[in-house]
Amino acid sequence: MGEGDIGGIGEFLQSRRARIKPADVGLPGLGRRRVPGLRREELAQLAGVSIDYYTRLERGRARNVSDAILDAIADVLRLDGIERQHLRDLARPGGTAPRPRVTSESRTARSQVRPGLARLLEMMDAVPACVMGRRTDILAYNAMADALYGFSAMPARHRNAARHTFLHPGVRTFYADWSDVAEEAVAFLHLDAGRHPHDPQLAALIGELSLESTTFRTLWARHPVRDKTYGTKRLHHPVVGDLELAYETLLLPGDADQCLVTYTPAAGSASEERLQLLASWQASTTPPVDTYDNADQAH
């Protein structure tokens, strides 16, 4: 990775070396070790590459790295599918091609939610749903998602999942499993950084969160990598109390940088009753579906 990039191949490989115990790969644990996990030379030997080449790779100075070498390193480090792709993204950050000039117009185009999708959100009146874009920006949300998260009451710049998770007041009470949500947000940002290592807005967001949150700094250094797929969120809502909601992340055809996120309760559960109560409360306030471009809010 070049200077100014935010992917961090060295940080990623060091964090993954630290996870592997020498005994796990058949190496004797001789004496006291200065670093946890595998040393560079041990990984290089196990992967069948020279220590000089591996060192250059970890420092971001290797060029035209082959799939075979990356696969060998991934095998030794026991990387999963998402981590393997992340390693490829970090090792091949666009080569020497000139970086595209990022303008406010191009950012707006990428952040725009299609009218048909905005209408779909509006018609999903019983299901909290939102569209998330690059950098965990919330690009659009429906009335139920607003009732659930209070998007319209937030400062516009906090309509970002990572900022909300680490900087929004009361968020640790709102999320029953806040530490899991926090790690998920950092893992998704790392994935985004690997795909877009030259993005100044993403670099600014990571810098802001690093300055404002000790927890973010600690998690960022661990380099978790995970895509947002599906799972369960346990929330404590100020109006209806505790909710347990399954979330699904649906990739949108035609725009790889956007996804539709929905939240549903189990049928017949207390959470379903409380979500219906929230819908009734929301109907009396009638918050509109909101879409906006976050590009103008970067700082």
Side-chain angles (χ1 to χ4, degrees):
M1 305 291 287
E3 184 177 353
D5 295 343
I6 52 179
I9 189 170
E11 178 186 275
F12 177 66
L13 287 171
Q14 289 163 26
S15 70
R16 292 326 187 251
R17 283 196 288 114
R19 296 191 314 190
I20 306 298
K21 297 178 181 178
D24 295 338
V25 290
L27 295 176
L30 299 176
R32 198 170 179 180
R33 302 174 70 89
R34 290 182 301 170
V35 295
L38 293 180
R39 300 186 180 102
R40 283 176 177 170
E41 57 269 25
E42 291 169 336
L43 175 54
Q45 179 183 4
L46 291 166
V49 299
S50 71
I51 179 59
D52 177 66
Y53 187 85
Y54 177 77
T55 300
R56 283 190 285 118
L57 175 64
E58 193 167 288
R59 290 176 177 172
R61 297 174 183 168
R63 294 291 180 264
N64 302 317
V65 188
S66 70
D67 286 340
I69 288 177
L70 293 177
D71 285 341
I73 291 170
D75 287 343
V76 175
L77 295 176
R78 303 182 179 183
L79 303 186
D80 62 25
I82 294 294
E83 291 173 320
R84 284 172 181 263
Q85 184 56 54
H86 186 59
L87 176 59
R88 282 181 166 79
D89 291 338
L90 295 175
R92 299 164 179 166
T96 59
R99 302 178 189 181
R101 180 173 177 266
V102 180
T103 64
S104 59
E105 291 79 8
S106 63
R107 285 194 297 262
T108 300
R110 287 201 301 273
S111 299
Q112 189 174 11
V113 173
R114 300 191 298 268
L117 182 57
R119 178 60 175 158
L120 176 62
L121 283 175
E122 184 179 4
M123 295 184 69
M124 297 171 68
D125 56 359
V127 178
C130 62
V131 177
M132 189 172 75
R134 290 273 330 283
R135 316 171 198 93
T136 73
D137 287 337
I138 305 301
L139 303 178
Y141 53 86
N142 66 4
M144 279 299 293
D146 194 12
L148 186 64
Y149 279 97
F151 289 128
S152 62
M154 295 178 191
R157 59 188 296 275
H158 275 235
R159 295 173 193 161
N160 169 284
R163 270 200 190 94
H164 179 263
T165 299
F166 289 98
L167 304 182
H168 196 66
V171 70
R172 296 193 185 217
T173 301
F174 180 70
Y175 288 117
D177 304 305
W178 180 84
S179 60
D180 293 337
V181 175
E183 183 168 342
E184 178 186 271
V186 172
F188 190 80
L189 283 181
H190 262 303
L191 204 62
D192 198 26
R195 294 166 178 165
H196 305 276
H198 310 309
D199 181 358
Q201 289 180 267
L202 181 56
L205 174 63
I206 293 168
E208 175 191 356
L209 295 175
S210 297
L211 286 173
E212 298 291 335
S213 171
T214 301
T215 304
F216 180 86
R217 289 197 303 273
T218 300
L219 288 172
W220 186 259
R222 294 177 188 168
H223 211 125
V225 179
R226 193 182 319 146
D227 210 347
K228 187 172 179 64
T229 53
Y230 62 91
T232 301
K233 286 283 196 305
R234 295 193 304 135
L235 313 174
H236 181 76
H237 194 274
V239 174
V240 297
D242 293 336
L243 294 165
E244 184 169 320
L245 304 175
Y247 69 86
E248 295 286 342
T249 306
L250 311 175
L251 298 180
L252 298 177
D255 197 329
D257 287 335
Q258 294 184 7
C259 57
L260 175 66
V261 185
T262 63
Y263 299 86
T264 55
S269 65
S271 291
E272 183 179 42
E273 294 179 2
R274 290 168 184 162
L275 198 62
Q276 291 169 352
L277 178 62
L278 185 62
S280 299
W281 173 81
Q282 170 272 325
S284 66
T285 59
T286 322
V289 172
D290 187 31
T291 63
Y292 55 90
D293 173 27
N294 283 282
D296 295 333
Q297 297 150 13
H299 65 287

